[in-house]
Amino acid sequence: MPVQSDAPERHARPASFSAMLAVLAMLAGFVLSLSSLPIQAAAPTRLHVLATTFPVYLFTRNLTQGHPHVRVDLLVPAQSGCPHDFAPSPHDLQKLVQAQVLVMNGLGLENFLTAALKKSNANITIIDSSAGIPPLPLPRGMRPASHAGHKHEAVNPHLFAGPRQAAAMVCNIASGLARVDPEGAAAYHAAAETYSARLLAVGRRLASVGAGARRKGIVLQHDALAYLAHDAGLDVVDVIQESEDIQPSA
Ligand SMILES: [Zn+2]
């Protein structure tokens, strides 16, 4: 649901900026509307799916609506934001043990899981929603550092924030679900077609708004929005917050 304000506009903004805000509100509203999907009717669970992050959880919930035998759980709580420094609790590991399928964002966003997966559930089927989607490089100053024996990917993992990339992730998840649950294959693909068409329509709207912007430079709070900016045809000049637990410097 788009957030509406009763407060009058205090400052006149350039039309393109207002239009950009409208698209962002529309995208946010679209995502929020997905989060209020009805709880599926109780039915014996035959396929237990675990989604690592909130965006891939929403994508998967959309695709599995109308399949009451499919249960979808979320690993990283929505309020945790990006799981760059997430440490799974014993309860989280229990979820990993119980699931048959793990839907991941990919591109290194779930590096925290590598060791836990081997220990908890080495046989789990993994659906990497990022497969085959061309990634953007990380912004300057955020290139990977190796530490504690592991290395982060050199690419920006926040694909879900770009409507076009999100549409491709949805199709990847549908293909993965179709492989593990062939009976539902046609329905998963049909749902992915409808859903990705809506996301692509948002992407086209975003591109037309960006095309009308007089100035293309944009500073991001977190690199999570780089794909959104890219789809809008904007140039990311800089990123303020290099890491979620580091306060921005002067
Ligand atoms: Zn992030």
Side-chain angles (χ1 to χ4, degrees):
M1 214 174 315
V3 177
Q4 291 183 344
S5 165
D6 296 323
E9 269 305 324
R10 293 197 187 160
H11 307 284
R13 294 186 172 119
S16 57
F17 182 72
S18 304
M20 181 72 73
L21 284 181
V23 170
L24 281 173
M26 189 168 68
L27 192 64
F30 184 54
V31 170
L32 285 174
S33 73
L34 307 180
S35 65
S36 59
L37 291 171
I39 304 294
Q40 288 171 356
T45 299
R46 284 193 280 115
L47 186 63
H48 192 162
V49 180
L50 182 64
T52 54
T53 62
F54 195 55
V56 291
Y57 170 73
L58 293 182
F59 298 160
T60 309
R61 281 284 310 275
N62 263 274
L63 295 172
T64 56
Q65 268 196 325
H67 301 259
H69 66 286
V70 182
R71 172 176 160 182
V72 184
D73 282 334
L74 171 63
L75 182 66
V76 179
Q79 64 271 24
S80 298
C82 282
H84 299 292
D85 299 311
F86 188 74
S89 69
H91 177 66
D92 297 326
L93 296 178
Q94 197 57 34
K95 288 185 186 171
L96 264 185
V97 171
Q98 290 165 350
Q100 293 150 275
V101 178
L102 183 69
V103 180
M104 298 177 73
N105 178 90
L107 297 182
L109 195 62
E110 293 98 341
N111 277 346
F112 68 93
L113 266 185
T114 313
L117 263 180
K118 271 191 210 141
K119 254 190 263 169
S120 308
N121 190 346
N123 296 322
I124 199 166
T125 300
I126 292 179
I127 299 176
D128 179 354
S129 67
S130 72
I133 305 174
L136 291 175
L138 279 176
R140 271 192 314 279
M142 299 183 69
R143 301 289 149 82
S146 299
H147 58 85
H150 69 280
K151 183 171 158 286
H152 291 285
E153 305 287 328
V155 294
N156 189 324
H158 309 95
L159 288 171
F160 53 86
R164 286 189 305 127
Q165 291 78 10
M169 293 172 87
V170 165
C171 293
N172 279 339
I173 296 171
S175 297
L177 290 171
R179 278 194 295 275
V180 292
D181 185 17
E183 270 179 44
Y188 295 132
H189 286 305
E193 203 170 308
T194 308
Y195 188 11
S196 58
R198 290 175 67 188
L199 288 165
L200 291 172
V202 173
R204 281 193 296 275
R205 174 102 195 273
L206 186 68
S208 72
V209 169
R214 284 194 304 274
R215 298 172 64 185
K216 307 286 187 196
I218 187 170
V219 174
L220 300 179
Q221 184 264 339
H222 179 60
D223 64 319
L225 294 176
Y227 288 93
L228 191 78
H230 184 262
D231 277 10
L234 301 177
D235 300 321
V236 178
V237 177
D238 217 334
V239 177
I240 294 173
Q241 190 187 36
E242 297 193 352
S243 171
E244 290 190 357
D245 46 8
I246 298 174
Q247 291 298 312
S249 69

